[in-house]
Amino acid sequence: MYEVSGLPHVEFGGYIESVGGGGNMYNTYLSRYNQIINLDSPLSITQNVNIAGNNIIMQAEVEVTESITTSNHQIIFLTSHKHSDEYFCSVGSYTQQSFDLSEIGQQQVFENIIEIDENWDLENMDVVVLVQSMQNNRILQASSSDISLDNLLMLNTNLVSIENDDDFDGNLNPGENATLNFSLENNSILLNAENTTITISTEDNFQIESSQILIENDINIGDLVNFSTNIQISEDIPLGNVTLNLLVQSNYTDTFGDSYVYEVNFPIVLNINLYQKNWPLSIGSQIVSSPAIVDLNNDGNKEIIFGDYNGLLHVVDKDGNNIEGFPFEANDDIWSSPAVGDIDNDGQQEIVISSKDKRLYILDSYGEIELIYNANQFLMATPVICQIDQDPEFEIVISGYTSTGDVFAINHDGTDLPGFPASINEKVISGVASVDMNNNGLDDILVATETQNMLIKIIDDGSIDTLFVAQEKFKSSPTVIKNDFENLILVTNKDYNLYAFDFDGNLKFIYSTQYEIISSAVIVDIDSEKIGIFFGAQDGYLYGIDQNGDDLQGWPINIGGQFSTSPSIADLNYDGIPEIICGNTNGDLYSFDVNGNQTNFFPLEFSSGITSSPSIVDIDNDGDLDIFLGVTDMIVGIDYKDQGDITNYWNFFRGNIFRNGTYLSNYTGSCSNPEQGDLNCDGYYDVTDIIILVNVVLDIEEADSFVIWASDLNYDGQINVLDIIFLRNVILYD
């Protein structure tokens, strides 16, 4: 009708136009409006708008009051929907009819019926009637009226709650059963609903126990009734939103005494997810701290402990609620992950955390400060709890991030151990590893540095030995494999390589990638003969190699994004085949088993990058495993619904809540077909085997499974002095 030549395009009275413009057009539009506002119309229009059943009945009584000077007229019925008081209305329906009145005094009632669209908001809609000349587009008269809702039955249903789901957290997870509770309310002005039936259906993968529900009593004006149904969700249902359709049908009688059937479909959107209740938990500050999860106050419930860039140490319960006394406020960013342990041997757990404020904090389970240690150096790394001296209490090791950096080893009371601080004059951004390398029963320390790119061994007495100097910076922490048959130090470097050394610093192998590596290696026993070593690189690949530096079958795997964190390991589905869980900077969380097979429901996608390593526990003691990790400024809690296992798995950043980076392997090396009695698996029966056997008898808990098996020489199910005598006789008389 209107040939639009520019925008905006406004028509006043259908024939006075304003095309284009910018800025404040008020004065321009006002002048156009004033041209027509006082003009007389040759017509009068009286409107009557009613609802009958599911239809809007529009009636317009039109009378000619003055001579009409134009020809070719149409009467137009339209509905308009108000979107905003400040901006515009949109047209919901548009109908033209012939208009032939021309003589003064002529009148006629015009009628138009349209079906109500269930998506319309009738309370914000008007019915507009206008008569327009198609000759020159001039509007002769117009009238508008709102829509009376007296004859409209208005029922509204909502999902009220989710109950009785398998883990009682109100989230719908794959494989769960749950009860859905709904409300149905009569919002009508004058009408009651009778014989109401709700039919529930879905095209998605879950079963509905009660698919049709009859409400026998009338639902009177303003009444609200509740109804429920049970559902069973398929284990292989895709994650995300699914739609449940509720078809509501009711009988009613309108104000004119006519009977109708009301029918409307309510789509109810359900979210199928792997979240824990109240998770993700928004913090409002960057999180790179990997959570420690432990029963902090010995009440039978685990707590989640992590720091943020605002300098706050958070301790929350499984539902995300703050524990009394927390958050604790340090004076600067917390980059480190918290270490947790009974440091002073008093039966109570302590939290150890470091901050960029150059201080190391020891807190009790109520957030009270037990110790503040001022290192006078930036502390970016994760502290380590270990055993360096002969006393029964634990010690804490932390490295400084300055060009004159030290490695600090302190007692729980803040006193320095003899030989410490160890001056290495190096920046260290990552945590140390602790392990007994000289078999004296005390932990030694491994440090990877930034300044001179050194791998340093510090013996428990504080003596320093440089094992290796790389070409680029070490941005990750060393990882240690300790085993009766083979010990390895693993450390990744920005020169694209992973290096493997023995405890004497001898290079065992180098594994090369396509780009820088800043994530630490994680370890798992694949079987008695093979150790799996996994790490991510900035080339977007997750690597899996064995203890010899050879690719595992099915590895490496491209996950399409860089790594700023380290993987974690658990058996998510309790099939005896562990999974490697890792995230990238694109916000994708992946899980693969050690054979390279992607885990069901993964990858999980988040709106921002993954910023901390996953922590994997059974937070709610329901048998399945839960994954917690930082995603930019929030902690995500994922409830993986299969029964799982974390026994002897690298399920925390740095391997455990002590953060020592050491994995005690059950790998038996070349001893794939061991002989009972050959406890060191060297192929001989000798006094060395007797020594090992004596130690087993004295302290059986310290032995690995292979040694225990090899120790029962008389097959009586016990390991005792009789086995020692038996082995002596074997050596003497073999």
Side-chain angles (χ1 to χ4, degrees):
M1 182 180 296
Y2 302 102
E3 296 182 1
V4 177
S5 58
L7 296 174
H9 186 115
V10 183
E11 294 283 341
F12 295 86
Y15 68 102
I16 300 175
E17 67 178 7
S18 178
V19 180
N24 190 347
M25 296 295 291
Y26 176 80
N27 290 330
T28 300
Y29 292 164
L30 180 62
S31 67
R32 307 289 197 273
Y33 172 79
N34 288 333
Q35 289 180 12
I36 62 173
I37 187 59
N38 295 318
L39 296 177
D40 292 332
S41 170
L43 301 172
S44 68
I45 300 177
T46 303
Q47 273 189 268
N48 185 27
V49 182
N50 285 298
I51 290 177
N54 199 39
N55 294 320
I56 299 175
I57 311 298
M58 309 179 217
Q59 291 180 329
E61 183 178 349
V62 185
E63 181 178 359
V64 181
T65 57
E66 296 182 9
S67 297
I68 298 175
T69 58
T70 57
S71 62
N72 188 17
H73 304 113
Q74 298 282 336
I75 185 168
I76 299 168
F77 293 87
L78 60 87
T79 58
S80 67
H81 188 269
K82 182 191 296 182
H83 292 272
S84 169
D85 290 331
E86 298 179 358
Y87 292 99
F88 65 96
C89 299
S90 64
V91 175
S93 65
Y94 184 97
T95 304
Q96 291 178 261
Q97 297 179 23
S98 176
F99 182 87
D100 298 324
L101 304 182
S102 60
E103 301 293 330
I104 297 175
Q106 285 184 322
Q107 58 183 5
Q108 183 178 337
V109 176
F110 297 85
E111 185 177 89
N112 184 54
I113 302 174
I114 63 168
E115 185 176 356
I116 298 172
D117 188 317
E118 65 180 22
N119 297 312
W120 287 350
D121 179 10
L122 296 179
E123 293 181 288
N124 284 315
M125 294 187 71
D126 288 331
V127 172
V128 178
V129 179
L130 58 90
V131 178
Q132 186 173 23
S133 169
M134 302 294 103
Q135 181 182 8
N136 59 11
N137 297 331
R138 184 166 183 165
I139 296 174
L140 305 184
Q141 182 62 287
S143 175
S144 69
S145 173
D146 60 9
I147 301 173
S148 174
L149 304 181
D150 292 355
N151 273 330
L152 181 68
L153 183 62
M154 291 186 291
L155 302 180
N156 188 48
T157 188
N158 288 292
L159 177 65
V160 177
S161 63
I162 300 170
E163 296 180 340
N164 302 324
D165 50 308
D166 292 348
D167 55 2
F168 298 98
D169 68 354
N171 284 326
L172 296 178
N173 306 135
E176 280 195 322
N177 298 287
T179 300
L180 305 181
N181 298 314
F182 300 92
S183 67
L184 182 63
E185 185 176 12
N186 187 351
N187 294 321
S188 308
I189 297 175
L190 298 175
L191 306 180
N192 299 325
E194 307 166 357
N195 302 320
T196 300
T197 302
I198 301 103
T199 303
I200 306 174
S201 63
T202 182
E203 296 181 356
D204 297 297
N205 289 347
F206 56 85
Q207 297 180 350
I208 303 167
E209 182 179 285
S210 303
S211 59
Q212 193 167 77
I213 298 167
L214 175 65
I215 299 175
E216 297 180 351
N217 298 326
D218 292 353
I219 308 174
N220 297 321
I221 301 164
D223 284 357
L224 184 146
V225 297
N226 298 307
F227 61 94
S228 303
T229 189
N230 296 324
I231 63 171
Q232 182 178 14
I233 305 171
S234 170
E235 292 184 353
D236 57 358
I237 188 172
L239 300 179
N241 290 338
V242 299
T243 301
L244 198 69
N245 297 302
L246 275 64
L247 177 63
V248 179
Q249 296 169 303
S250 294
N251 298 324
Y252 70 99
T253 303
D254 72 5
T255 57
F256 301 112
D258 297 319
S259 297
Y260 292 98
V261 176
Y262 171 86
E263 183 175 297
V264 64
N265 186 72
F266 292 99
I268 303 295
V269 178
L270 305 174
N271 184 259
I272 309 299
N273 60 67
L274 296 178
Y275 289 140
Q276 285 286 118
K277 180 182 180 182
N278 297 331
W279 299 86
L281 183 66
S282 181
I283 301 300
S285 178
Q286 179 94 354
I287 299 167
V288 298
S289 177
S290 184
I293 304 174
V294 63
D295 183 0
L296 185 63
N297 48 20
N298 298 318
D299 63 352
N301 300 310
K302 298 182 184 70
E303 284 75 41
I304 304 151
I305 311 164
F306 59 95
D308 67 25
Y309 271 20
N310 282 337
L312 297 178
L313 178 70
H314 302 266
V315 181
V316 300
D317 63 18
K318 65 182 180 64
D319 296 326
N321 304 307
N322 287 322
I323 299 300
E324 184 177 357
F326 295 93
F328 170 82
E329 186 172 357
N331 295 310
D332 210 332
D333 301 355
I334 296 175
W335 285 40
S336 76
S337 300
V340 181
D342 182 7
I343 298 170
D344 52 7
N345 205 26
D346 65 349
Q348 302 295 318
Q349 302 269 29
E350 281 84 33
I351 304 170
V352 185
I353 195 75
S354 63
S355 169
K356 279 183 67 181
D357 67 4
K358 303 180 181 181
R359 293 171 174 84
L360 180 131
Y361 298 88
I362 302 178
L363 309 174
D364 67 14
S365 59
Y366 303 100
E368 298 294 329
I369 297 173
E370 292 190 1
L371 175 72
I372 299 177
Y373 182 87
N374 191 350
N376 293 310
Q377 298 177 17
F378 293 117
L379 300 179
M380 318 289 282
T382 294
V384 173
I385 298 173
C386 55
Q387 187 66 265
I388 296 180
D389 59 18
Q390 300 287 348
D391 63 34
E393 293 84 16
F394 286 102
E395 289 74 52
I396 302 160
V397 179
I398 186 76
S399 50
Y401 190 74
T402 64
S403 58
T404 57
D406 298 321
V407 175
F408 303 89
I410 64 172
N411 295 299
H412 67 90
D413 60 2
T415 56
D416 295 311
L417 269 67
F420 292 91
S423 297
I424 61 174
N425 298 316
E426 289 280 322
K427 289 183 178 180
V428 181
I429 196 169
S430 54
V432 306
S434 64
V435 64
D436 181 11
M437 288 184 283
N438 53 8
N439 295 317
N440 67 348
L442 303 176
D443 285 331
D444 309 299
I445 301 164
L446 290 163
V447 189
T449 76
E450 279 196 16
T451 311
Q452 300 294 323
N453 316 323
M454 294 189 294
L455 177 64
I456 297 172
K457 177 168 71 173
I458 304 175
I459 305 301
D460 51 79
D461 62 4
S463 57
I464 301 171
D465 184 19
T466 300
L467 299 182
F468 178 72
V469 180
Q471 296 298 310
E472 290 286 344
K473 298 177 179 180
F474 289 104
K475 303 287 287 189
S476 62
S477 301
T479 296
V480 180
I481 302 173
K482 189 168 176 60
N483 186 277
D484 289 337
F485 303 97
E486 185 169 22
N487 300 313
L488 285 178
I489 303 167
L490 304 167
V491 61
T492 60
N493 191 269
K494 290 189 68 177
D495 65 4
Y496 307 6
N497 293 320
L498 176 143
Y499 296 92
F501 304 91
D502 63 19
F503 282 0
D504 295 321
N506 300 307
L507 183 64
K508 304 295 289 186
F509 66 83
I510 301 174
Y511 186 91
S512 299
T513 69
Q514 299 301 309
Y515 209 63
E516 298 175 353
I517 314 172
I518 61 175
S519 80
S520 297
V522 301
I523 312 300
V524 67
D525 283 334
I526 296 177
D527 53 42
S528 62
E529 299 181 47
K530 185 173 293 183
I531 300 173
I533 302 167
F534 299 91
F535 60 97
Q538 301 299 77
D539 57 10
Y541 279 86
L542 178 65
Y543 290 87
I545 62 176
D546 64 17
Q547 70 276 7
N548 300 312
D550 298 321
D551 287 323
L552 296 172
Q553 187 174 355
W555 298 84
I557 298 172
N558 189 348
I559 67 168
Q562 295 183 339
F563 285 80
S564 62
T565 64
S566 300
S568 294
I569 299 176
D571 185 359
L572 292 180
N573 50 15
Y574 207 66
D575 62 356
I577 304 173
E579 279 76 35
I580 296 86
I581 299 93
C582 62
N584 63 27
T585 54
N586 296 336
D588 305 314
L589 184 69
Y590 283 87
S591 175
F592 304 92
D593 68 21
V594 293
N595 300 315
N597 302 309
Q598 188 162 290
T599 311
N600 192 26
F601 299 118
F602 288 87
L604 302 177
E605 297 178 357
F606 303 101
S607 58
S608 54
I610 292 170
T611 52
S612 80
S613 297
S615 300
I616 308 169
V617 298
D618 179 6
I619 190 71
D620 46 11
N621 301 316
D622 62 354
D624 58 45
L625 295 180
D626 310 293
I627 305 170
F628 293 86
L629 70 157
V631 180
T632 306
D633 62 350
M634 63 182 180
I635 290 287
V636 174
I638 299 162
D639 186 3
Y640 196 79
K641 298 308 296 182
D642 286 342
Q643 183 181 11
D645 183 26
I646 55 172
T647 306
N648 200 37
Y649 288 126
W650 192 286
N651 61 309
F652 285 122
F653 176 64
R654 309 298 300 132
N656 47 60
I657 58 173
F658 279 20
R659 312 294 192 180
N660 61 22
T662 293
Y663 181 77
L664 301 178
S665 172
N666 293 317
Y667 164 72
T668 59
S670 61
C671 199
S672 57
N673 295 299
E675 295 288 338
Q676 227 155 358
D678 185 10
L679 277 75
N680 61 0
C681 202
D682 61 358
Y684 302 96
Y685 302 111
D686 53 29
V687 69
T688 307
D689 299 303
I690 294 180
I691 294 171
I692 297 173
L693 181 54
V694 169
N695 289 330
V696 171
V697 172
L698 294 176
D699 193 4
I700 191 170
E701 296 298 327
E702 296 296 322
D704 65 62
S705 58
F706 163 70
V707 173
I708 293 173
W709 173 86
S711 299
D712 187 13
L713 278 85
N714 58 5
Y715 300 98
D716 65 353
Q718 302 181 43
I719 302 173
N720 51 34
V721 68
L722 296 178
D723 297 296
I724 297 175
I725 296 171
F726 192 101
L727 180 57
R728 168 191 172 273
N729 291 335
V730 168
I731 294 171
L732 291 177
Y733 301 109
D734 188 14

